[in-house]
């Protein structure tokens, strides 16, 4: 890796790219913050909507469904445009304009949220969140390669990791700010008080969010330091991959339609048999959607093995298995956090109100920040001793920041002091992973399985710590999966990256599956869903070694991806 970085640096210097555009980079990382802030804020918004609109756990998870499905739709639309038009739309507009358009589109979504709130319609609010996330999809497609282009390619990783760190900071304070905005206090708020809250608070929240989107767009547009980032490279044709994805999309619509429509069903006066029948009806269609994704992708790769023409990046098994891995990773990351508030309401877990649960949700999303800050250490050229020291100190500093922010917000953080033990386990895991993506993913996948099993088999703080630590073990997975999935793709690397972004769809399918399972067997045991997810991620880490080895690729190369 050091030799490769030296070669890249020399090439960059010959092209006059020695200096990083820090002004543009400082402007760029604001969008990373937005992704984290809004996504993590949904974890508090979900219980608010659940009690205000009298939803069951599955119905409340439709917020994640709307939000993360938009990423898939947005990325697919961009890919389809490139496939039919022969040009990358983001490259045609340029990174700068693409991010500006994405921010304005998200602002449009915030406006749609305000209109829906005035109409007191949950469906309209889901549409608003969908539009916000569509804008995020465009921003994310442009922002990560843009960060790499803002200076020496050899230090591109550090810039993307900086964005990931800022993203994680957004996920940490998002639940705190949203909880305060909705509940007006950090003290306990009962479910009855939540149901009686005025939706004007949501209007104020999304008015502020929309204003921030517009402000950030203006900052980008008028900043002379931010280059246009236009690229006119021709898009590699992959018609079979496109048609497969379009067919999958059609089937997903067929699966989602009855699930989505069923949320309007009022089961408050239904018999136990009727409730059970509706639960099984919803679960059937949700599992059908899951099968469409997995079977569709595996079919694509098997077909590509017979004849690779027209399949583009999908002819590579590491990419297809990696697409499933991203799907599962985003799904488990979101599912753990989105169902956490409901878990903490149970007497065995403290019987906490939604507002009291905010500090635990903040710690969960903050756990991703802890891991990503620690992972960012490897992006810099440091001596082994300095790197080891920082990999011990940085996670502890990040943990202290989370405790400090919540303490300032007047939460009692004493119950979470001993969570530092879980942070110490992660530090040890980082030491043994040796910056090797396959090994890192395997270790953290296995630890995730163990943590979730401990969580399902215990109650109280032991179980809560176990579930919270899922954030620690998810934290470094995105760059590992990403780098392993696109290894050896050559001219199909950009296309493969777009396919991976589409699989953020997992955040829209797996959380509702866990929510529906919670309605059937209880919220505690529904956490067997994350067990299965982490098990697949560990399997992918193990299987991809052999796949890449057959292609003559060094799967132990250091991580070169960024954080999601």
């Amino acid at each position: 890796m050091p030799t490769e970085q030296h070669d890249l640096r020399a090439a960059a210097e010959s092209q006059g790219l020695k200096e990083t555009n820090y002004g543009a980079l400082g402007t760029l990382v604001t969008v990373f913050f937005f992704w984290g802030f809004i996504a993590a804020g949904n974890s508090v918004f979900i219980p608010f909507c659940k009690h205000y609109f009298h939803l069951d756990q599955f119905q409340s998870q439709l917020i994640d469904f709307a939000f993360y499905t938009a990423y898939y739709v947005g990325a697919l639309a961009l890919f389809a445009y490139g496939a039919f038009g022969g040009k990358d739309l983001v490259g045609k507009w340029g990174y700068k304009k693409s991010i500006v358009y994405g921010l304005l589109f998200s602002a449009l979504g915030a406006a749609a949220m305000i209109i829906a709130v005035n109409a007191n319609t949950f469906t309209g609010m889901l549409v608003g969140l969908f539009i916000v996330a569509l804008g995020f999809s465009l921003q994310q497609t442009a922002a990560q390669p843009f960060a790499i282009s803002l200076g020496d390619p050899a230090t591109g990783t550090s810039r993307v990791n900086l964005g990931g760190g800022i993203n994680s900071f957004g996920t940490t304070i998002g639940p705190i700010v949203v909880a305060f905005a909705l509940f007006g206090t950090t003290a306990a708020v009962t479910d009855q008080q939540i149901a009686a809250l005025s939706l004007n608070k949501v209007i104020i929240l999304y008015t502020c969010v929309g204003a921030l989107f517009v402000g950030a767009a203006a900052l980008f547009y008028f900043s002379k330091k931010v280059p246009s980032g236009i690229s006119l490279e021709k898009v590699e044709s992959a018609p079979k991959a496109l048609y497969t994805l379009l067919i999958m999309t059609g089937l997903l619509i067929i699966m989602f339609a009855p699930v989505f429509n069923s949320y309007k069903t009022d089961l408050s006066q239904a018999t136990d048999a009727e409730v059970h029948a509706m639960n099984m009806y919803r679960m059937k269609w949700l599992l059908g959607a899951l099968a469409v994704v997995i079977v569709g992708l595996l079919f694509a790769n098997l077909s590509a093995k017979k004849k690779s023409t027209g399949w583009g990046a999908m002819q590579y098994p590491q990419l297809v298995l990696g697409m499933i891995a991203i799907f599962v990773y985003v799904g488990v990351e979101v599912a753990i956090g989105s169902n956490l508030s409901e878990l903490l309401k149970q007497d065995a877990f403290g019987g906490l109100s939604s507002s009291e649960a905010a500090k635990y949700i903040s710690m969960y999303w903050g756990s991703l920040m802890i891991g990503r800050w620690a992972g960012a250490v490897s992006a810099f050229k440091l001596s082994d001793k300095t790197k080891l020291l920082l990999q011990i100190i940085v996670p502890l500093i990040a943990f202290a920041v989370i405790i400090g922010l919540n303490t300032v917000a007047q939460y009692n953080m004493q119950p979470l002091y001993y969570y530092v033990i879980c942070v110490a386990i992660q530090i040890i895991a980082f030491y043994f992973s040796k910056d090797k993506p396959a090994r890192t993913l395997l270790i953290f996948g296995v630890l995730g399985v163990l943590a979730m099993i401990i969580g399902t088999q215990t109650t109280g703080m032991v179980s809560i710590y176990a579930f919270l630590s899922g954030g620690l073990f998810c934290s470094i997975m995105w760059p590992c999966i990403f780098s392993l999935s696109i290894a050896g793709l050559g001219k199909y690397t950009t296309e493969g990256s777009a396919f991976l972004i589409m699989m953020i769809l997992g955040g829209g399918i797996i959380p509702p599956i866990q929510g529906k399972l919670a309605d059937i067997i209880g919220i505690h045991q529904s956490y067997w869903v994350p067990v299965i997810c982490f098990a697949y991620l560990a399997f992918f880490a193990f299987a991809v070694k052999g796949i890449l080895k057959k292609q003559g690729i060094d799967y132990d190369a250091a991580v070169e991806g960024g954080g999601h």
Side-chain angles (χ1 to χ4, degrees), residues 370-371 374-375 378 388 391-392 395 420-448 450-451 469 471-477 480 559:
I370 292 171
S378 300
L388 178 61
Q391 284 184 332
I392 295 173
V420 72
I421 296 171
C422 298
V423 177
I425 292 172
Q426 187 199 49
I427 291 171
I428 295 170
F430 266 119
Y431 174 77
F432 284 106
S433 67
K434 303 295 183 184
D435 294 333
K436 297 175 180 179
R439 182 188 294 186
T440 300
L441 188 58
L442 180 60
I443 291 174
F444 279 64
V446 170
L447 286 173
L450 293 175
S469 69
L472 293 171
F473 305 133
C474 279
S475 63
I476 200 64
M477 286 185 169
C480 294
V559 175

Side-chain angles (χ1 to χ4, degrees), residues 291-497:
V292 166
V293 174
I294 295 175
V295 174
L297 291 176
L298 293 178
F299 166 79
N301 187 244
L302 288 173
S303 299
K305 281 184 178 179
K306 298 176 182 177
K307 188 176 181 181
S308 62
T309 305
W311 284 105
M314 280 193 183
Q315 65 189 274
Y316 294 92
Q318 66 266 35
L319 176 73
V320 173
L321 293 179
M323 289 172 71
I324 297 174
I326 288 288
F327 177 91
V328 168
Y329 153 72
V330 177
V332 71
E333 176 186 283
V334 176
I336 294 172
S338 295
N339 287 284
L340 196 56
S341 181
E342 182 65 19
L343 177 79
L344 295 172
K345 281 177 56 183
Q346 311 307 309
D347 291 338
F349 297 90
L352 305 180
S353 68
S354 297
S355 61
E356 289 176 304
K359 66 184 178 184
Y360 292 96
I361 295 171
S362 176
M363 180 59 76
Y364 170 73
W365 290 107
S367 295
L368 283 108
M369 181 179 82
I370 292 171
R372 287 170 182 171
W373 283 17
V377 170
S378 300
F380 301 94
K381 243 187 150 180
L382 304 167
S383 67
D384 290 341
K385 287 184 179 180
T386 302
K387 185 161 66 173
L388 178 61
L389 182 63
L390 287 176
Q391 284 184 332
I392 295 173
I393 295 174
V394 169
L396 297 176
I397 291 175
F399 175 69
V401 167
I402 299 164
I403 294 291
L405 286 171
N406 281 276
T407 300
V408 170
Q410 299 183 334
Y411 286 112
N412 175 19
M413 297 302 289
Q414 191 170 351
L416 285 166
Y417 287 167
Y418 290 105
Y419 186 66
V420 72
I421 296 171
C422 298
V423 177
I425 292 172
Q426 187 199 49
I427 291 171
I428 295 170
F430 266 119
Y431 174 77
F432 284 106
S433 67
K434 303 295 183 184
D435 294 333
K436 297 175 180 179
R439 182 188 294 186
T440 300
L441 188 58
L442 180 60
I443 291 174
F444 279 64
V446 170
L447 286 173
V449 170
L450 293 175
M452 296 302 106
I453 290 177
I454 291 172
T456 59
Q457 300 305 304
T458 57
T459 56
M461 290 309 297
V462 172
S463 182
I464 292 172
Y465 277 20
F467 290 138
L468 291 179
S469 69
L472 293 171
F473 305 133
C474 279
S475 63
I476 200 64
M477 286 185 169
W478 175 276
C480 294
I481 298 169
F482 216 95
S483 61
L484 291 166
S485 301
I486 63 175
L489 264 59
K491 64 181 181 180
Y492 297 109
T493 299
T494 301
E495 184 181 284
S497 298

Side-chain angles (χ1 to χ4, degrees), residues 501-535:
I501 296 295
M502 288 181 200
M503 289 299 103
I504 292 176
L505 171 68
I509 294 180
I510 291 178
I513 287 178
Q514 184 176 344
K516 182 75 287 166
L517 191 62
D519 289 332
I520 297 173
I521 65 173
I523 187 67
H524 186 197
Q525 294 307 309
S526 75
Y527 273 82
W528 278 102
V529 171
V531 173
I532 297 170
C533 291
F534 278 119

